[in-house]
Amino acid sequence: MVDFCGIELRHPVINGSGTFDAIAARRAFGDELLDEFPFSAFVSKTITPEPRAGNPPPRLWETPSGLINSIGLPNKGLDGFLADDLPQLAELPVPLIVSVMGTSHDEFSRLVDGVGGRDEVAAIELNVSCPNVKSGLIVGESPEEAKSLLGAIKPLTDRPLIVKLTPNVADPVPVAEAAAEGGADAVSLINTLRAVAFDPDKADRWLGGGSGGLSGPAVRAVALAQVHSVASSVSVPVVAMGGISTGRDAAEMLGAGAALVAVGTESFRDPAAGARIADELDAELARISG
Ligand code: RRO
């Protein structure tokens, strides 16, 4: 068992927000999914106060060992999430972490108020780092803004708050430190690296939304560097993600100071990847401890 901010988890492998649709997976795989759920906690796709359609297609581009997405945060909005998705996500056999994104303190407050009082919700992830939506806030890039946002919303809930950091800054450490000072209970990193796919025939960018975010094994060494510096600088737990596709990758992140790891892009290739990586990690940690 792993203790994460007072939440008991069966193992240290969770999912990255937006990379595993548990509701669609249950439709596809039936209740078998609940018997062998691949993650020890489930992080929802990010929600916003109002519904969003997301970016125009195409939304995905494969790169060598990587994936660029420009999804643009399609979601049902807070009310739609609470009415349609929350009851289904509450049936999962693991604690639920809800990911939220607002464009102002007021919007974040509304979201945290809306989900933070629900028994079904174990923790809240504040997504201040989506590369595909202009939030109007520079929370993810500014230590002052990060601290001030946390100061505004920390008093609204007793649920642990996880701040999802962007890798698209010179150094993620000052933002991580400010978030922790402001009351964040944990930080998670990395979100995707800003990236572009180009169509030379059109002499234009290929993705409908213009630019996107790069994930997958291509970003793993960048994630490892940032996880290592953040985990060496803050005392709150770090959730590490970025290209993890094997137990060895996960062990490296834990060795770099992470408390948990999250699997993202690998789940698109293999929906059962989380369970496999948790098993491989177990074997790897047993080998290391001799
Ligand atoms: O929906 C997206 O386009 C998206 C989000 Br919210 C995010 O946080 N990270 C990402 O790569 N894509």
Side-chain angles (χ1 to χ4, degrees), residues 83-124:
D84 302 342
D85 292 358
L86 188 58
Q88 298 183 69
L89 296 178
E91 291 182 5
L92 298 177
V94 296
L96 175 64
I97 300 171
V98 177
S99 170
V100 302
M101 194 204 90
T103 57
S104 63
H105 285 198
D106 275 357
E107 284 199 4
F108 266 109
S109 300
R110 223 177 109 196
L111 289 159
V112 169
D113 253 348
V115 296
R118 303 292 294 247
D119 288 343
E120 304 93 319
V121 177
I124 300 172

PDB file of all heavy atoms in Angstrom, residues 83-124:
ATOM      1  N   ALA A  83     -23.529  15.553 -13.156  1.00  0.00           N
ATOM      2  CA  ALA A  83     -24.754  14.785 -13.412  1.00  0.00           C
ATOM      3  C   ALA A  83     -24.458  13.466 -14.133  1.00  0.00           C
ATOM      4  O   ALA A  83     -25.033  12.430 -13.790  1.00  0.00           O
ATOM      5  CB  ALA A  83     -25.727  15.626 -14.245  1.00  0.00           C
ATOM      6  N   ASP A  84     -23.593  13.491 -15.142  1.00  0.00           N
ATOM      7  CA  ASP A  84     -23.431  12.307 -16.002  1.00  0.00           C
ATOM      8  C   ASP A  84     -22.227  11.446 -15.630  1.00  0.00           C
ATOM      9  O   ASP A  84     -22.302  10.229 -15.639  1.00  0.00           O
ATOM     10  CB  ASP A  84     -23.231  12.720 -17.477  1.00  0.00           C
ATOM     11  CG  ASP A  84     -24.390  13.540 -17.990  1.00  0.00           C
ATOM     12  OD1 ASP A  84     -25.461  13.500 -17.353  1.00  0.00           O
ATOM     13  OD2 ASP A  84     -24.219  14.223 -19.018  1.00  0.00           O
ATOM     14  N   ASP A  85     -21.080  12.094 -15.398  1.00  0.00           N
ATOM     15  CA  ASP A  85     -19.836  11.326 -15.273  1.00  0.00           C
ATOM     16  C   ASP A  85     -19.546  10.902 -13.836  1.00  0.00           C
ATOM     17  O   ASP A  85     -19.103   9.772 -13.595  1.00  0.00           O
ATOM     18  CB  ASP A  85     -18.642  12.148 -15.792  1.00  0.00           C
ATOM     19  CG  ASP A  85     -18.715  12.347 -17.297  1.00  0.00           C
ATOM     20  OD1 ASP A  85     -19.657  11.808 -17.913  1.00  0.00           O
ATOM     21  OD2 ASP A  85     -17.840  13.038 -17.856  1.00  0.00           O
ATOM     22  N   LEU A  86     -19.760  11.809 -12.884  1.00  0.00           N
ATOM     23  CA  LEU A  86     -19.375  11.499 -11.502  1.00  0.00           C
ATOM     24  C   LEU A  86     -20.008  10.207 -10.976  1.00  0.00           C
ATOM     25  O   LEU A  86     -19.313   9.375 -10.390  1.00  0.00           O
ATOM     26  CB  LEU A  86     -19.663  12.695 -10.590  1.00  0.00           C
ATOM     27  CG  LEU A  86     -19.137  12.568  -9.165  1.00  0.00           C
ATOM     28  CD1 LEU A  86     -17.628  12.356  -9.139  1.00  0.00           C
ATOM     29  CD2 LEU A  86     -19.501  13.793  -8.330  1.00  0.00           C
ATOM     30  N   PRO A  87     -21.336   9.994 -11.231  1.00  0.00           N
ATOM     31  CA  PRO A  87     -21.925   8.743 -10.724  1.00  0.00           C
ATOM     32  C   PRO A  87     -21.252   7.505 -11.309  1.00  0.00           C
ATOM     33  O   PRO A  87     -21.090   6.498 -10.620  1.00  0.00           O
ATOM     34  CB  PRO A  87     -23.389   8.824 -11.174  1.00  0.00           C
ATOM     35  CG  PRO A  87     -23.643  10.278 -11.423  1.00  0.00           C
ATOM     36  CD  PRO A  87     -22.335  10.875 -11.862  1.00  0.00           C
ATOM     37  N   GLN A  88     -20.815   7.589 -12.585  1.00  0.00           N
ATOM     38  CA  GLN A  88     -20.162   6.427 -13.210  1.00  0.00           C
ATOM     39  C   GLN A  88     -18.733   6.266 -12.686  1.00  0.00           C
ATOM     40  O   GLN A  88     -18.274   5.158 -12.422  1.00  0.00           O
ATOM     41  CB  GLN A  88     -20.146   6.583 -14.724  1.00  0.00           C
ATOM     42  CG  GLN A  88     -21.550   6.650 -15.321  1.00  0.00           C
ATOM     43  CD  GLN A  88     -21.502   6.732 -16.839  1.00  0.00           C
ATOM     44  OE1 GLN A  88     -21.120   5.769 -17.499  1.00  0.00           O
ATOM     45  NE2 GLN A  88     -21.876   7.875 -17.378  1.00  0.00           N
ATOM     46  N   LEU A  89     -18.032   7.389 -12.522  1.00  0.00           N
ATOM     47  CA  LEU A  89     -16.649   7.306 -12.037  1.00  0.00           C
ATOM     48  C   LEU A  89     -16.618   6.842 -10.582  1.00  0.00           C
ATOM     49  O   LEU A  89     -15.656   6.214 -10.134  1.00  0.00           O
ATOM     50  CB  LEU A  89     -15.945   8.659 -12.194  1.00  0.00           C
ATOM     51  CG  LEU A  89     -15.787   9.133 -13.646  1.00  0.00           C
ATOM     52  CD1 LEU A  89     -15.123  10.508 -13.698  1.00  0.00           C
ATOM     53  CD2 LEU A  89     -14.992   8.134 -14.480  1.00  0.00           C
ATOM     54  N   ALA A  90     -17.703   7.128  -9.851  1.00  0.00           N
ATOM     55  CA  ALA A  90     -17.769   6.716  -8.438  1.00  0.00           C
ATOM     56  C   ALA A  90     -17.850   5.199  -8.316  1.00  0.00           C
ATOM     57  O   ALA A  90     -17.595   4.647  -7.245  1.00  0.00           O
ATOM     58  CB  ALA A  90     -18.969   7.364  -7.763  1.00  0.00           C
ATOM     59  N   GLU A  91     -18.225   4.507  -9.388  1.00  0.00           N
ATOM     60  CA  GLU A  91     -18.307   3.035  -9.338  1.00  0.00           C
ATOM     61  C   GLU A  91     -16.951   2.366  -9.558  1.00  0.00           C
ATOM     62  O   GLU A  91     -16.828   1.155  -9.415  1.00  0.00           O
ATOM     63  CB  GLU A  91     -19.307   2.532 -10.391  1.00  0.00           C
ATOM     64  CG  GLU A  91     -20.731   2.909 -10.043  1.00  0.00           C
ATOM     65  CD  GLU A  91     -21.739   2.385 -11.056  1.00  0.00           C
ATOM     66  OE1 GLU A  91     -21.341   1.641 -11.974  1.00  0.00           O
ATOM     67  OE2 GLU A  91     -22.913   2.731 -10.907  1.00  0.00           O
ATOM     68  N   LEU A  92     -15.948   3.153  -9.914  1.00  0.00           N
ATOM     69  CA  LEU A  92     -14.614   2.561 -10.098  1.00  0.00           C
ATOM     70  C   LEU A  92     -14.098   2.080  -8.742  1.00  0.00           C
ATOM     71  O   LEU A  92     -14.409   2.682  -7.704  1.00  0.00           O
ATOM     72  CB  LEU A  92     -13.641   3.590 -10.693  1.00  0.00           C
ATOM     73  CG  LEU A  92     -14.014   4.123 -12.077  1.00  0.00           C
ATOM     74  CD1 LEU A  92     -13.003   5.195 -12.528  1.00  0.00           C
ATOM     75  CD2 LEU A  92     -14.092   3.004 -13.102  1.00  0.00           C
ATOM     76  N   PRO A  93     -13.272   1.027  -8.756  1.00  0.00           N
ATOM     77  CA  PRO A  93     -12.839   0.439  -7.472  1.00  0.00           C
ATOM     78  C   PRO A  93     -11.649   1.157  -6.847  1.00  0.00           C
ATOM     79  O   PRO A  93     -10.974   0.587  -5.989  1.00  0.00           O
ATOM     80  CB  PRO A  93     -12.452  -0.992  -7.891  1.00  0.00           C
ATOM     81  CG  PRO A  93     -12.007  -0.854  -9.306  1.00  0.00           C
ATOM     82  CD  PRO A  93     -12.800   0.260  -9.918  1.00  0.00           C
ATOM     83  N   VAL A  94     -11.378   2.389  -7.284  1.00  0.00           N
ATOM     84  CA  VAL A  94     -10.202   3.128  -6.787  1.00  0.00           C
ATOM     85  C   VAL A  94     -10.592   4.572  -6.482  1.00  0.00           C
ATOM     86  O   VAL A  94     -11.599   5.066  -6.993  1.00  0.00           O
ATOM     87  CB  VAL A  94      -9.062   3.115  -7.852  1.00  0.00           C
ATOM     88  CG1 VAL A  94      -8.551   1.701  -8.101  1.00  0.00           C
ATOM     89  CG2 VAL A  94      -9.502   3.773  -9.152  1.00  0.00           C
ATOM     90  N   PRO A  95      -9.800   5.272  -5.655  1.00  0.00           N
ATOM     91  CA  PRO A  95     -10.105   6.677  -5.367  1.00  0.00           C
ATOM     92  C   PRO A  95     -10.112   7.539  -6.636  1.00  0.00           C
ATOM     93  O   PRO A  95      -9.351   7.289  -7.565  1.00  0.00           O
ATOM     94  CB  PRO A  95      -8.966   7.108  -4.428  1.00  0.00           C
ATOM     95  CG  PRO A  95      -8.455   5.837  -3.839  1.00  0.00           C
ATOM     96  CD  PRO A  95      -8.635   4.790  -4.893  1.00  0.00           C
ATOM     97  N   LEU A  96     -10.975   8.551  -6.622  1.00  0.00           N
ATOM     98  CA  LEU A  96     -11.160   9.418  -7.791  1.00  0.00           C
ATOM     99  C   LEU A  96     -10.509  10.787  -7.552  1.00  0.00           C
ATOM    100  O   LEU A  96     -10.749  11.433  -6.523  1.00  0.00           O
ATOM    101  CB  LEU A  96     -12.659   9.600  -8.048  1.00  0.00           C
ATOM    102  CG  LEU A  96     -13.052  10.578  -9.155  1.00  0.00           C
ATOM    103  CD1 LEU A  96     -12.552  10.089 -10.522  1.00  0.00           C
ATOM    104  CD2 LEU A  96     -14.574  10.768  -9.170  1.00  0.00           C
ATOM    105  N   ILE A  97      -9.697  11.197  -8.512  1.00  0.00           N
ATOM    106  CA  ILE A  97      -9.092  12.534  -8.492  1.00  0.00           C
ATOM    107  C   ILE A  97      -9.699  13.296  -9.665  1.00  0.00           C
ATOM    108  O   ILE A  97      -9.652  12.825 -10.805  1.00  0.00           O
ATOM    109  CB  ILE A  97      -7.550  12.441  -8.639  1.00  0.00           C
ATOM    110  CG1 ILE A  97      -6.955  11.629  -7.482  1.00  0.00           C
ATOM    111  CG2 ILE A  97      -6.938  13.848  -8.696  1.00  0.00           C
ATOM    112  CD1 ILE A  97      -5.475  11.289  -7.633  1.00  0.00           C
ATOM    113  N   VAL A  98     -10.298  14.452  -9.395  1.00  0.00           N
ATOM    114  CA  VAL A  98     -10.925  15.220 -10.479  1.00  0.00           C
ATOM    115  C   VAL A  98      -9.997  16.355 -10.889  1.00  0.00           C
ATOM    116  O   VAL A  98      -9.515  17.119 -10.042  1.00  0.00           O
ATOM    117  CB  VAL A  98     -12.308  15.760 -10.051  1.00  0.00           C
ATOM    118  CG1 VAL A  98     -12.915  16.615 -11.157  1.00  0.00           C
ATOM    119  CG2 VAL A  98     -13.242  14.605  -9.720  1.00  0.00           C
ATOM    120  N   SER A  99      -9.749  16.437 -12.200  1.00  0.00           N
ATOM    121  CA  SER A  99      -8.878  17.478 -12.748  1.00  0.00           C
ATOM    122  C   SER A  99      -9.733  18.651 -13.212  1.00  0.00           C
ATOM    123  O   SER A  99     -10.730  18.456 -13.918  1.00  0.00           O
ATOM    124  CB  SER A  99      -8.072  16.909 -13.927  1.00  0.00           C
ATOM    125  OG  SER A  99      -7.406  17.951 -14.619  1.00  0.00           O
ATOM    126  N   VAL A 100      -9.359  19.865 -12.817  1.00  0.00           N
ATOM    127  CA  VAL A 100     -10.157  21.055 -13.161  1.00  0.00           C
ATOM    128  C   VAL A 100      -9.264  22.154 -13.734  1.00  0.00           C
ATOM    129  O   VAL A 100      -8.087  22.258 -13.390  1.00  0.00           O
ATOM    130  CB  VAL A 100     -10.908  21.614 -11.924  1.00  0.00           C
ATOM    131  CG1 VAL A 100     -11.827  20.562 -11.314  1.00  0.00           C
ATOM    132  CG2 VAL A 100      -9.951  22.146 -10.859  1.00  0.00           C
ATOM    133  N   MET A 101      -9.854  22.962 -14.627  1.00  0.00           N
ATOM    134  CA  MET A 101      -9.131  24.132 -15.147  1.00  0.00           C
ATOM    135  C   MET A 101     -10.071  25.328 -15.290  1.00  0.00           C
ATOM    136  O   MET A 101     -11.157  25.197 -15.865  1.00  0.00           O
ATOM    137  CB  MET A 101      -8.517  23.847 -16.510  1.00  0.00           C
ATOM    138  CG  MET A 101      -7.504  24.923 -16.885  1.00  0.00           C
ATOM    139  SD  MET A 101      -7.243  25.094 -18.650  1.00  0.00           S
ATOM    140  CE  MET A 101      -8.487  26.304 -19.040  1.00  0.00           C
ATOM    141  N   GLY A 102      -9.659  26.458 -14.756  1.00  0.00           N
ATOM    142  CA  GLY A 102     -10.434  27.679 -14.892  1.00  0.00           C
ATOM    143  C   GLY A 102      -9.587  28.762 -15.522  1.00  0.00           C
ATOM    144  O   GLY A 102      -8.368  28.619 -15.665  1.00  0.00           O
ATOM    145  N   THR A 103     -10.256  29.865 -15.911  1.00  0.00           N
ATOM    146  CA  THR A 103      -9.512  30.973 -16.518  1.00  0.00           C
ATOM    147  C   THR A 103      -9.415  32.159 -15.559  1.00  0.00           C
ATOM    148  O   THR A 103      -8.998  33.239 -15.943  1.00  0.00           O
ATOM    149  CB  THR A 103     -10.188  31.441 -17.826  1.00  0.00           C
ATOM    150  OG1 THR A 103     -11.527  31.801 -17.520  1.00  0.00           O
ATOM    151  CG2 THR A 103     -10.190  30.333 -18.865  1.00  0.00           C
ATOM    152  N   SER A 104      -9.854  31.958 -14.326  1.00  0.00           N
ATOM    153  CA  SER A 104      -9.765  33.026 -13.319  1.00  0.00           C
ATOM    154  C   SER A 104      -9.877  32.371 -11.944  1.00  0.00           C
ATOM    155  O   SER A 104     -10.261  31.204 -11.847  1.00  0.00           O
ATOM    156  CB  SER A 104     -10.933  34.013 -13.490  1.00  0.00           C
ATOM    157  OG  SER A 104     -12.151  33.331 -13.270  1.00  0.00           O
ATOM    158  N   HIS A 105      -9.577  33.131 -10.916  1.00  0.00           N
ATOM    159  CA  HIS A 105      -9.753  32.600  -9.563  1.00  0.00           C
ATOM    160  C   HIS A 105     -11.208  32.191  -9.343  1.00  0.00           C
ATOM    161  O   HIS A 105     -11.490  31.176  -8.714  1.00  0.00           O
ATOM    162  CB  HIS A 105      -9.352  33.646  -8.517  1.00  0.00           C
ATOM    163  CG  HIS A 105      -7.864  33.818  -8.399  1.00  0.00           C
ATOM    164  ND1 HIS A 105      -7.268  34.405  -7.316  1.00  0.00           N
ATOM    165  CD2 HIS A 105      -6.850  33.483  -9.225  1.00  0.00           C
ATOM    166  CE1 HIS A 105      -5.945  34.422  -7.481  1.00  0.00           C
ATOM    167  NE2 HIS A 105      -5.682  33.876  -8.639  1.00  0.00           N
ATOM    168  N   ASP A 106     -12.130  33.013  -9.867  1.00  0.00           N
ATOM    169  CA  ASP A 106     -13.555  32.715  -9.678  1.00  0.00           C
ATOM    170  C   ASP A 106     -13.931  31.383 -10.299  1.00  0.00           C
ATOM    171  O   ASP A 106     -14.665  30.590  -9.706  1.00  0.00           O
ATOM    172  CB  ASP A 106     -14.424  33.812 -10.316  1.00  0.00           C
ATOM    173  CG  ASP A 106     -14.600  34.971  -9.357  1.00  0.00           C
ATOM    174  OD1 ASP A 106     -14.095  34.866  -8.222  1.00  0.00           O
ATOM    175  OD2 ASP A 106     -15.230  35.969  -9.760  1.00  0.00           O
ATOM    176  N   GLU A 107     -13.425  31.156 -11.505  1.00  0.00           N
ATOM    177  CA  GLU A 107     -13.760  29.889 -12.181  1.00  0.00           C
ATOM    178  C   GLU A 107     -13.165  28.705 -11.434  1.00  0.00           C
ATOM    179  O   GLU A 107     -13.826  27.678 -11.245  1.00  0.00           O
ATOM    180  CB  GLU A 107     -13.261  29.904 -13.626  1.00  0.00           C
ATOM    181  CG  GLU A 107     -14.133  30.741 -14.537  1.00  0.00           C
ATOM    182  CD  GLU A 107     -13.931  30.404 -16.024  1.00  0.00           C
ATOM    183  OE1 GLU A 107     -13.164  29.471 -16.360  1.00  0.00           O
ATOM    184  OE2 GLU A 107     -14.556  31.086 -16.835  1.00  0.00           O
ATOM    185  N   PHE A 108     -11.915  28.837 -11.008  1.00  0.00           N
ATOM    186  CA  PHE A 108     -11.311  27.743 -10.238  1.00  0.00           C
ATOM    187  C   PHE A 108     -12.106  27.517  -8.950  1.00  0.00           C
ATOM    188  O   PHE A 108     -12.346  26.371  -8.548  1.00  0.00           O
ATOM    189  CB  PHE A 108      -9.842  28.049  -9.912  1.00  0.00           C
ATOM    190  CG  PHE A 108      -8.856  27.480 -10.909  1.00  0.00           C
ATOM    191  CD1 PHE A 108      -8.163  28.311 -11.770  1.00  0.00           C
ATOM    192  CD2 PHE A 108      -8.625  26.113 -10.989  1.00  0.00           C
ATOM    193  CE1 PHE A 108      -7.243  27.786 -12.690  1.00  0.00           C
ATOM    194  CE2 PHE A 108      -7.714  25.576 -11.899  1.00  0.00           C
ATOM    195  CZ  PHE A 108      -7.024  26.421 -12.759  1.00  0.00           C
ATOM    196  N   SER A 109     -12.531  28.599  -8.309  1.00  0.00           N
ATOM    197  CA  SER A 109     -13.282  28.479  -7.051  1.00  0.00           C
ATOM    198  C   SER A 109     -14.584  27.724  -7.284  1.00  0.00           C
ATOM    199  O   SER A 109     -14.981  26.864  -6.489  1.00  0.00           O
ATOM    200  CB  SER A 109     -13.600  29.853  -6.464  1.00  0.00           C
ATOM    201  OG  SER A 109     -12.408  30.534  -6.200  1.00  0.00           O
ATOM    202  N   ARG A 110     -15.266  28.085  -8.383  1.00  0.00           N
ATOM    203  CA  ARG A 110     -16.529  27.417  -8.706  1.00  0.00           C
ATOM    204  C   ARG A 110     -16.319  25.915  -8.871  1.00  0.00           C
ATOM    205  O   ARG A 110     -17.105  25.095  -8.388  1.00  0.00           O
ATOM    206  CB  ARG A 110     -17.054  28.000 -10.024  1.00  0.00           C
ATOM    207  CG  ARG A 110     -18.530  28.283 -10.028  1.00  0.00           C
ATOM    208  CD  ARG A 110     -18.918  28.925 -11.348  1.00  0.00           C
ATOM    209  NE  ARG A 110     -19.696  28.010 -12.159  1.00  0.00           N
ATOM    210  CZ  ARG A 110     -19.925  28.164 -13.451  1.00  0.00           C
ATOM    211  NH1 ARG A 110     -19.403  29.196 -14.097  1.00  0.00           N
ATOM    212  NH2 ARG A 110     -20.675  27.314 -14.104  1.00  0.00           N
ATOM    213  N   LEU A 111     -15.248  25.565  -9.572  1.00  0.00           N
ATOM    214  CA  LEU A 111     -14.965  24.148  -9.827  1.00  0.00           C
ATOM    215  C   LEU A 111     -14.625  23.414  -8.531  1.00  0.00           C
ATOM    216  O   LEU A 111     -15.127  22.314  -8.264  1.00  0.00           O
ATOM    217  CB  LEU A 111     -13.801  24.027 -10.825  1.00  0.00           C
ATOM    218  CG  LEU A 111     -14.156  24.436 -12.259  1.00  0.00           C
ATOM    219  CD1 LEU A 111     -12.888  24.796 -13.058  1.00  0.00           C
ATOM    220  CD2 LEU A 111     -14.929  23.326 -12.963  1.00  0.00           C
ATOM    221  N   VAL A 112     -13.771  24.037  -7.723  1.00  0.00           N
ATOM    222  CA  VAL A 112     -13.339  23.382  -6.476  1.00  0.00           C
ATOM    223  C   VAL A 112     -14.515  23.267  -5.516  1.00  0.00           C
ATOM    224  O   VAL A 112     -14.701  22.236  -4.859  1.00  0.00           O
ATOM    225  CB  VAL A 112     -12.144  24.137  -5.870  1.00  0.00           C
ATOM    226  CG1 VAL A 112     -11.845  23.663  -4.454  1.00  0.00           C
ATOM    227  CG2 VAL A 112     -10.909  23.962  -6.759  1.00  0.00           C
ATOM    228  N   ASP A 113     -15.371  24.307  -5.480  1.00  0.00           N
ATOM    229  CA  ASP A 113     -16.604  24.252  -4.683  1.00  0.00           C
ATOM    230  C   ASP A 113     -17.495  23.115  -5.155  1.00  0.00           C
ATOM    231  O   ASP A 113     -18.051  22.367  -4.350  1.00  0.00           O
ATOM    232  CB  ASP A 113     -17.394  25.555  -4.882  1.00  0.00           C
ATOM    233  CG  ASP A 113     -17.323  26.433  -3.660  1.00  0.00           C
ATOM    234  OD1 ASP A 113     -16.878  25.944  -2.603  1.00  0.00           O
ATOM    235  OD2 ASP A 113     -17.705  27.617  -3.777  1.00  0.00           O
ATOM    236  N   GLY A 114     -17.618  23.003  -6.473  1.00  0.00           N
ATOM    237  CA  GLY A 114     -18.535  22.027  -7.073  1.00  0.00           C
ATOM    238  C   GLY A 114     -18.127  20.587  -6.842  1.00  0.00           C
ATOM    239  O   GLY A 114     -18.972  19.721  -6.616  1.00  0.00           O
ATOM    240  N   VAL A 115     -16.820  20.306  -6.915  1.00  0.00           N
ATOM    241  CA  VAL A 115     -16.410  18.896  -6.777  1.00  0.00           C
ATOM    242  C   VAL A 115     -15.855  18.578  -5.386  1.00  0.00           C
ATOM    243  O   VAL A 115     -15.878  17.428  -4.960  1.00  0.00           O
ATOM    244  CB  VAL A 115     -15.371  18.476  -7.856  1.00  0.00           C
ATOM    245  CG1 VAL A 115     -15.976  18.558  -9.238  1.00  0.00           C
ATOM    246  CG2 VAL A 115     -14.092  19.281  -7.775  1.00  0.00           C
ATOM    247  N   GLY A 116     -15.375  19.634  -4.690  1.00  0.00           N
ATOM    248  CA  GLY A 116     -14.630  19.414  -3.447  1.00  0.00           C
ATOM    249  C   GLY A 116     -15.468  18.909  -2.296  1.00  0.00           C
ATOM    250  O   GLY A 116     -14.937  18.318  -1.358  1.00  0.00           O
ATOM    251  N   GLY A 117     -16.774  19.112  -2.377  1.00  0.00           N
ATOM    252  CA  GLY A 117     -17.617  18.671  -1.265  1.00  0.00           C
ATOM    253  C   GLY A 117     -18.227  17.304  -1.515  1.00  0.00           C
ATOM    254  O   GLY A 117     -19.006  16.800  -0.701  1.00  0.00           O
ATOM    255  N   ARG A 118     -17.945  16.709  -2.657  1.00  0.00           N
ATOM    256  CA  ARG A 118     -18.578  15.431  -3.003  1.00  0.00           C
ATOM    257  C   ARG A 118     -17.795  14.261  -2.407  1.00  0.00           C
ATOM    258  O   ARG A 118     -16.580  14.173  -2.565  1.00  0.00           O
ATOM    259  CB  ARG A 118     -18.641  15.280  -4.532  1.00  0.00           C
ATOM    260  CG  ARG A 118     -19.387  16.415  -5.220  1.00  0.00           C
ATOM    261  CD  ARG A 118     -20.869  16.397  -4.900  1.00  0.00           C
ATOM    262  NE  ARG A 118     -21.492  15.223  -5.449  1.00  0.00           N
ATOM    263  CZ  ARG A 118     -22.388  15.234  -6.436  1.00  0.00           C
ATOM    264  NH1 ARG A 118     -22.785  16.393  -6.960  1.00  0.00           N
ATOM    265  NH2 ARG A 118     -22.894  14.121  -6.894  1.00  0.00           N
ATOM    266  N   ASP A 119     -18.528  13.373  -1.740  1.00  0.00           N
ATOM    267  CA  ASP A 119     -17.884  12.223  -1.095  1.00  0.00           C
ATOM    268  C   ASP A 119     -17.111  11.359  -2.084  1.00  0.00           C
ATOM    269  O   ASP A 119     -16.149  10.689  -1.717  1.00  0.00           O
ATOM    270  CB  ASP A 119     -18.940  11.331  -0.430  1.00  0.00           C
ATOM    271  CG  ASP A 119     -19.505  11.981   0.810  1.00  0.00           C
ATOM    272  OD1 ASP A 119     -18.850  12.930   1.313  1.00  0.00           O
ATOM    273  OD2 ASP A 119     -20.582  11.556   1.265  1.00  0.00           O
ATOM    274  N   GLU A 120     -17.591  11.374  -3.346  1.00  0.00           N
ATOM    275  CA  GLU A 120     -16.970  10.502  -4.368  1.00  0.00           C
ATOM    276  C   GLU A 120     -15.575  10.983  -4.750  1.00  0.00           C
ATOM    277  O   GLU A 120     -14.825  10.265  -5.404  1.00  0.00           O
ATOM    278  CB  GLU A 120     -17.818  10.498  -5.653  1.00  0.00           C
ATOM    279  CG  GLU A 120     -19.275  10.097  -5.459  1.00  0.00           C
ATOM    280  CD  GLU A 120     -20.180  11.308  -5.247  1.00  0.00           C
ATOM    281  OE1 GLU A 120     -19.764  12.245  -4.524  1.00  0.00           O
ATOM    282  OE2 GLU A 120     -21.294  11.308  -5.791  1.00  0.00           O
ATOM    283  N   VAL A 121     -15.229  12.230  -4.375  1.00  0.00           N
ATOM    284  CA  VAL A 121     -13.974  12.834  -4.856  1.00  0.00           C
ATOM    285  C   VAL A 121     -12.924  12.790  -3.756  1.00  0.00           C
ATOM    286  O   VAL A 121     -13.089  13.378  -2.690  1.00  0.00           O
ATOM    287  CB  VAL A 121     -14.231  14.293  -5.310  1.00  0.00           C
ATOM    288  CG1 VAL A 121     -12.939  14.965  -5.753  1.00  0.00           C
ATOM    289  CG2 VAL A 121     -15.266  14.327  -6.427  1.00  0.00           C
ATOM    290  N   ALA A 122     -11.813  12.099  -4.042  1.00  0.00           N
ATOM    291  CA  ALA A 122     -10.762  11.939  -3.024  1.00  0.00           C
ATOM    292  C   ALA A 122      -9.782  13.105  -3.047  1.00  0.00           C
ATOM    293  O   ALA A 122      -9.205  13.463  -2.019  1.00  0.00           O
ATOM    294  CB  ALA A 122     -10.007  10.635  -3.258  1.00  0.00           C
ATOM    295  N   ALA A 123      -9.544  13.683  -4.229  1.00  0.00           N
ATOM    296  CA  ALA A 123      -8.570  14.781  -4.362  1.00  0.00           C
ATOM    297  C   ALA A 123      -8.889  15.547  -5.637  1.00  0.00           C
ATOM    298  O   ALA A 123      -9.658  15.086  -6.487  1.00  0.00           O
ATOM    299  CB  ALA A 123      -7.148  14.226  -4.422  1.00  0.00           C
ATOM    300  N   ILE A 124      -8.284  16.736  -5.751  1.00  0.00           N
ATOM    301  CA  ILE A 124      -8.527  17.586  -6.919  1.00  0.00           C
ATOM    302  C   ILE A 124      -7.176  17.947  -7.532  1.00  0.00           C
ATOM    303  O   ILE A 124      -6.246  18.335  -6.818  1.00  0.00           O
ATOM    304  CB  ILE A 124      -9.272  18.873  -6.506  1.00  0.00           C
ATOM    305  CG1 ILE A 124     -10.625  18.518  -5.872  1.00  0.00           C
ATOM    306  CG2 ILE A 124      -9.485  19.794  -7.714  1.00  0.00           C
ATOM    307  CD1 ILE A 124     -11.335  19.703  -5.255  1.00  0.00           C
TER     308      ILE A 124
END
